[in-house]
Amino acid sequence: MRKLLLVLLALQSVILFAQDSEDSVKGTLAKEVIVTGYPSEESTTPAPIEKVDARELKQAGDFKDVPNILSQLPSVVTWSQSGLSIGYSFANIRGFDQRRQSILVNGVPQNDPEDHFVYWIDMPDLALSASSIELQRGAGSAFYGPAAIGGSIDVKTMLSPDPGFLFTFGRGSYSTSKTALSGNSGLIDETYMIYGHLSQTKSSGYRNRSFMNFLSYHFSAAGYFDDLSLQLNFYGGPVKDGLDYYGIFPNDSSRSNFKEEDLRKINWSESFAYERRNEEREEFFQPHYELLSTWDISDDARLANTLFYIQGDGFFDFDGTWVQAFTGYRHSEYYRLLPVYGARYGFTGLLDDTLGQELTHAVVENKQFGWLPRFEWKHGESGKFSLGGEVRIHRSFHWGQLLSADTLPTDLPSDYHFYEYRGGKNIFTVYASEQYNFTEDLSALTSIQFVNQKYRFYDEKPFFIDTNSASQKGLLPGWTNYEFEVPFTFINPRIGLNYKISDNLRSFASFSFTAREPRLTDYYNAAFFSEPNFNRTQSATYDFSSPKIRPEKLYDYELGLTLEEVLSSGVHLRTTLGGYYMSFIDELIKTGETDKFGSSIVGNAESVLHYGLEFSTEIAFAELLTLSANITISHNEILEFSSYIDPDTVVGKTPIGFPPVVANFGIFYQPMDMVSLSISGHYQGAIYGDLINSQTFRNDPYVVFNAGATFNLGELFGQGKLAIKVQVQNLLNTLYTTYVESGLGFFVAAPRHVFAALEIGL
């Protein structure tokens, strides 16, 4: 307990420098805290794995979010709403978006329990604190957290034994700026380490009114004792940004507006009749608190625990003039300002069709607590057994109000909410895995995961169904609200083999079954007057034990080869070749429609098939030159989707967002210690934004090139660490679009833009 108190007191200490022997540092860090939820040893994990290490993170530059840092990896495509590489940025793996990935930071699940999404924008400047990022492609690659369909991303923020301070000051196109200060204590008394950073990133964004203002902090403290390691992490930061979740649409058959400088920057409001107003914005703050511990019980047994708490509070202010045109509701009806509401809640009701310049204020308050225990036992030389679990409790409170309009009841209470509800999700997982070595060349990894979880929707604010609406919808008239629970139980097995064919050639094969539940809003979106997605009873009510939407189920088969060879002194070759076959039952695919938060509406396609080949190669000439390239060729096809409005039109078509070809190349050249240069290229094949694969919503293939340079001037001027970094994005000034959905539009990428940063370190 006294040792733990010392660690807590160290949180308030000024960062100190410590000089310890290399042997002491290595000995202490050998007991580093376990922070990952799945094994990541490539030689024993039967899955395609890519790692971005600390050196590569530094080369990536200072003006990129995590998705854009991963953009050169096989089967990864990225896009952003603002057109830049910061803000609302997204990384799709094999075409599967972030809702269908398992994303972890220090082993802690980051996917929102209700909507499954990961909002990198709410973890500003996370890459500044990252020591490595690991990406596994394929299903079932994480033992806990949301089910991994496309793959898993794990960001680690481990502390470094190297002490120092680093100040970063950067400027770039579109009024982009970054100021950051970070410090690392190194090892103190061979026991403690402390790290912290503060930063601010600002930009006007490429598109109109897509401004960003992010404050970021990260603080970590670790203690390494005889048999116990502890680490505390606190990170997050308030974000403010302009809403930009709708793209643009073609104004003619040649899409001339996609090439015109002013027209491609248009940032549509919900009505698509005019651009967003200055008042339409978002503010959010999501602090993270983590305590990680590892206890070495013996040489062969280890117990790891992670406790975490995540709280997210924020709001959207967005246009409300779209209501009547898109829903048929009078605005006074949609915002629940009718006389019947006035009589109940104490204001003078309205019957107006429109209220004029409506601005909606939508608020969400999230709280999530979790515990992730894991026990490991090495049984001789033959293998390792792991037993672990997950307990996560999530609660949310959602509400909305009409923030302003030309016409409002004069006596409307300032705290009147036209919708209000609470959500909850309890998640309990138990998993077991065995890594068994049959021989020196043949090993197996088997695992099974038992998942029990339950959605809860409750405390909805009552609303009134009048006689006409009740008759049209087949419901009972009068005041009502809904409350329901949806439980799930999944058993997800996985088995894989690793075989070392020779000293230089390894292979793997694996099979996984994974099931994943729909989002809470797929059952009922109370914010937008949707109907519950449940079957009806004979008494004109909903049967909340019988949802219409179902969990998706995936059978995933993977094969891979890895060749690593030293061709000559200092010349190293690494080549991988893999294939995957993913067969879905009831896949949750995007329909092309969206809600007014820009969130995709999905449906169950009874049978969908995805398969492909992934090839990558890298050749390194010592530290002088590295050449790399990768390509993915895939086929993605809907075989059956009977619930779609016209099922025959989508059979044989490609789901939304899946390109048939993705390719990358990279050149890194370091002619001297002071200078490093890089250039990269990315090719993405055509993707479709609707299920009928129309030319109207076809995002054309594109190629984009980026370049970077780093000049380390510290030794030249005798100033310790002094570096200048320059990034040039879209080097050839190509005007292209990166992503499309029929309900959202096309998202443009910014033309050539430059960022430069000065780094001063001690």
Side-chain angles (χ1 to χ4, degrees), residues 46-356:
I49 299 172
E50 308 291 335
K51 293 184 179 181
V52 181
D53 60 24
R55 182 178 69 90
E56 293 168 314
L57 285 168
K58 291 180 181 178
Q59 294 169 4
D62 299 297
F63 292 93
K64 289 184 179 181
D65 286 340
V66 170
N68 291 283
I69 292 174
L70 303 177
S71 62
Q72 290 296 112
L73 300 183
S75 299
V76 175
V77 298
T78 62
W79 62 283
S80 72
Q81 293 177 352
S82 71
L84 302 180
S85 55
I86 54 175
Y88 271 97
S89 300
F90 310 92
N92 294 0
I93 304 174
R94 293 180 177 174
F96 299 99
D97 68 19
Q98 291 169 177
R99 281 195 174 93
R100 307 171 77 191
Q101 303 165 24
S102 179
I103 297 180
L104 314 170
V105 175
N106 293 326
V108 174
Q110 299 299 316
N111 300 69
D112 184 281
E114 286 186 8
D115 77 357
H116 299 174
F117 219 81
V118 172
Y119 301 95
W120 296 104
I121 191 174
D122 296 327
M123 297 180 282
D125 225 359
L126 179 65
L128 179 64
S129 303
S131 61
S132 66
I133 304 175
E134 181 176 306
L135 185 149
Q136 290 190 30
R137 299 187 299 276
S141 48
F143 290 140
Y144 55 78
I149 299 293
S152 302
I153 298 171
D154 192 9
V155 181
K156 296 184 178 67
T157 64
M158 295 300 297
L159 292 91
S160 168
D162 301 319
F165 281 104
L166 181 66
F167 174 74
T168 303
F169 178 79
R171 289 290 185 269
S173 304
Y174 310 110
S175 303
T176 302
S177 66
K178 179 175 181 178
T179 305
L181 176 65
S182 60
N184 192 49
S185 69
L187 200 59
I188 303 171
D189 295 335
E190 299 186 10
T191 304
Y192 307 108
M193 286 197 293
I194 303 172
Y195 166 84
H197 93 232
L198 296 171
S199 72
Q200 181 177 36
T201 304
K202 301 172 78 172
S203 178
S204 63
Y206 170 62
R207 300 176 62 205
N208 298 338
R209 298 178 182 86
S210 60
F211 76 91
M212 292 164 267
N213 186 353
F214 309 147
L215 295 174
S216 169
Y217 65 87
H218 188 117
F219 192 86
S220 294
Y224 303 96
F225 310 108
D226 292 338
D227 300 316
L228 178 67
S229 301
L230 296 172
Q231 182 172 329
L232 285 163
N233 300 315
F234 309 98
Y235 65 92
V239 301
K240 300 178 181 179
D241 61 285
L243 304 184
D244 52 12
Y245 49 75
Y246 288 114
I248 61 174
F249 294 83
N251 62 359
D252 55 41
S253 59
S254 63
R255 301 180 179 179
S256 58
N257 59 317
F258 287 17
K259 305 295 182 181
E260 205 283 323
E261 181 177 358
D262 292 330
L263 295 180
R264 72 194 312 265
K265 291 183 178 180
I266 285 178
N267 184 4
W268 291 115
S269 69
E270 274 71 12
S271 67
F272 298 105
Y274 49 80
E275 288 200 68
R276 292 207 180 273
R277 293 171 270 169
N278 291 328
E279 299 86 353
E280 297 184 54
R281 63 196 179 98
E282 171 199 22
E283 293 187 15
F284 204 81
F285 181 34
Q286 181 175 283
H288 297 244
Y289 309 89
E290 301 170 355
L291 172 61
L292 304 94
S293 70
T294 302
W295 175 30
D296 291 323
I297 302 170
S298 67
D299 291 341
D300 298 323
R302 170 179 283 183
L303 178 64
N305 282 279
T306 297
L307 293 172
F308 67 90
Y309 176 73
I310 303 172
Q311 180 171 327
D313 302 297
F315 66 85
F316 287 85
D317 289 345
F318 62 96
D319 175 63
T321 63
W322 56 274
V323 171
Q324 189 171 42
F326 284 81
T327 69
Y329 288 108
R330 289 174 294 173
H331 288 212
S332 55
E333 183 179 8
Y334 179 83
Y335 287 106
R336 294 172 178 165
L337 299 175
L338 296 172
V340 67
Y341 290 97
R344 181 171 180 135
Y345 296 108
F347 60 86
T348 303
L350 300 175
L351 293 170
D352 300 56
D353 288 342
T354 63
L355 303 172

Side-chain angles (χ1 to χ4, degrees), residues 341-458:
Y341 290 97
R344 181 171 180 135
Y345 296 108
F347 60 86
T348 303
L350 300 175
L351 293 170
D352 300 56
D353 288 342
T354 63
L355 303 172
Q357 295 298 302
E358 295 90 345
L359 186 66
T360 306
H361 182 66
V363 174
V364 60
E365 302 171 10
N366 286 311
K367 294 178 174 61
Q368 183 184 177
F369 166 80
W371 174 42
L372 308 171
R374 180 176 175 181
F375 172 75
E376 291 183 352
W377 173 52
K378 293 181 180 179
H379 42 90
E381 298 296 324
S382 60
K384 180 173 67 175
F385 173 75
S386 299
L387 178 67
E390 170 190 24
V391 177
R392 276 196 293 157
I393 308 298
H394 177 264
R395 296 294 181 265
S396 66
F397 181 42
H398 305 254
W399 56 269
Q401 67 180 151
L402 183 56
L403 190 64
S404 64
D406 293 340
T407 302
L408 282 175
T410 57
D411 53 352
L412 183 69
S414 60
D415 60 351
Y416 177 67
H417 301 165
F418 71 93
Y419 75 83
E420 187 178 291
Y421 67 91
R422 296 183 185 273
K425 193 174 188 181
N426 298 338
I427 303 168
F428 303 98
T429 300
V430 176
Y431 65 86
S433 73
E434 170 68 22
Q435 177 190 312
Y436 190 81
N437 304 313
F438 296 101
T439 67
E440 290 185 358
D441 299 327
L442 179 64
S443 64
L445 179 64
T446 62
S447 66
I448 189 164
Q449 178 192 51
F450 299 88
V451 183
N452 179 270
Q453 53 190 5
K454 181 169 63 178
Y455 281 129
R456 184 185 176 198
F457 179 92
Y458 63 106

